[in-house]
Amino acid sequence: MDAERYLIALDTSRDHVLKTAADGGIVLAHAAAARMVGAWTLAPAPHDPARHLEVAHVQARSHLARLTTHDPSREVPAAMTNELFSRLTDASPAPITAPGGVSRYTYTPRKALRRVLDHALDHLNQIDQWLAWQHHGIVPTPTDGWVPSTVTLPDDRLPLAPADLDAWLWRVDEAARLVAQRAAGLTEAELDWLPPDGGWPLRRVLHHLARSERLYAAALDEALPDEDPPRRYEEACRRLGEVVRVATTRGEDASIVYAGLYGALAAPDEVLGLVLAIEGELLAGSR
């Protein structure tokens, strides 16, 4: 990867993005999200998705264990936006050229725990349904009982006592263990089987689950500075720049992959190219 070339391009794009503050911070919010997605993706992950799940849970656990240090009623805005989610996950994504606003994800201590647990259970169920689909032609039954990160429930703002946290952590640990155990038993063919409807193969699902657990768990500890859109964006730029510099010192290593928040694997050049492309779309829409 030609790090210097990308760092110059990122700095140039940053300067243009910072000039859009007059729109109320809409472009800055989505650009900050894109930079953070780039930073998360460039953190190397084990090639084996089962091992990635184990490593991610160890990393997430240290953040989850600290949740009682945060204000239980305060909703902390995440870097990610729902508009960027659509841009990154739609089968035929439209450019994020003219967002009318920002649909934010927010987290409280209990909400972070809820999302980690619900997400693990949802994808544990998906493994079994995908295997039945692959081997027996049984079409999956949607399981949509969970509540997404865009919704904050009344219970999400309740106090979190140490005993409550311990009970949550036991459930989270058991769910994480079961998913990793199930993933370790999958064959290469099962991991890479493509659903007839164009859905994600299990390899992508599992890398997505691992990335997301770490994201949910660290949502409060690693939150961007509140309120001021330029400061949030500049901090996201700083974090991405640090990760890029570290990535340039890493040689070829077949044991690692760069997995995006939604499980897609990419080379570092592709990751940074996508960040620049998204910022270009945002700038084009702001003119």
Side-chain angles (χ1 to χ4, degrees), residues 14 17-18 21 24-37 40 74-81 102-107 215 219-220 222-240 279:
R14 177 200 63 204
V17 169
L18 284 170
I26 294 173
V27 168
L28 286 165
H30 296 303
R35 295 259 175 161
M36 288 305 301
V37 168
W40 295 325
R74 180 169 173 260
E75 290 187 58
V76 175
M80 193 61 192
T81 69
V102 181
S103 300
R104 290 194 179 279
Y105 298 172
T106 61
Y107 294 98
L215 171 68
L220 302 183
E222 298 180 358
L224 293 173
D226 278 350
E227 304 303 333
D228 186 54
R231 282 202 309 124
R232 288 174 64 84
Y233 176 64
E234 288 179 325
E235 174 61 15
C237 292
R238 185 191 67 78
R239 294 186 192 183
L240 177 59
E279 290 195 349

Side-chain angles (χ1 to χ4, degrees), residues 78-185:
M80 193 61 192
T81 69
N82 206 40
E83 292 80 5
L84 184 60
F85 164 80
S86 296
R87 169 64 175 80
L88 295 175
T89 60
D90 286 355
S92 300
I96 185 168
T97 52
V102 181
S103 300
R104 290 194 179 279
Y105 298 172
T106 61
Y107 294 98
T108 66
R110 281 184 176 270
K111 186 174 180 179
L113 288 163
R114 171 172 66 79
R115 287 302 298 129
V116 168
L117 182 58
D118 284 0
H119 204 221
L121 293 174
D122 180 41
H123 288 305
L124 178 62
N125 173 274
Q126 184 179 6
I127 293 173
D128 288 336
Q129 294 218 49
W130 255 232
L131 292 178
W133 197 5
Q134 179 181 2
H135 295 300
H136 308 295
I138 301 173
V139 178
T141 301
T143 54
D144 295 332
W146 49 269
V147 179
S149 294
T150 50
V151 176
T152 301
L153 301 172
D155 283 1
D156 292 333
R157 299 188 185 91
L158 292 177
L160 182 67
D164 295 329
L165 178 58
D166 288 344
W168 271 104
L169 291 178
W170 180 84
R171 296 194 291 271
V172 167
D173 287 344
E174 284 299 296
R177 180 185 63 79
L178 289 170
V179 175
Q181 183 181 70
R182 199 78 179 87

Side-chain angles (χ1 to χ4, degrees), residues 15-29 282-283 286:
D15 293 344
H16 290 304
V17 169
L18 284 170
K19 293 176 183 177
T20 69
D23 75 350
I26 294 173
V27 168
L28 286 165
L282 289 164
L283 288 169
S286 69

Side-chain angles (χ1 to χ4, degrees), residues 36-47 49 51-57 59-60 63 107 116 119 123 200 203-219 222 243 250 256-266 271:
M36 288 305 301
V37 168
W40 295 325
T41 304
L42 288 177
H47 181 276
R51 179 64 183 147
H52 188 189
L53 288 166
E54 293 172 346
V55 170
H57 182 60
Q59 295 171 338
H63 293 285
Y107 294 98
V116 168
H119 204 221
H123 288 305
W200 297 356
R203 186 183 302 277
R204 179 174 178 177
V205 168
L206 296 173
H207 280 302
H208 157 63
L209 176 58
R211 278 290 191 237
S212 297
E213 182 182 12
R214 171 74 176 70
L215 171 68
Y216 296 142
E222 298 180 358
V243 173
R250 193 177 299 118
I256 67 169
V257 293
Y258 296 101
L261 183 56
Y262 303 106
L265 305 184
V271 175

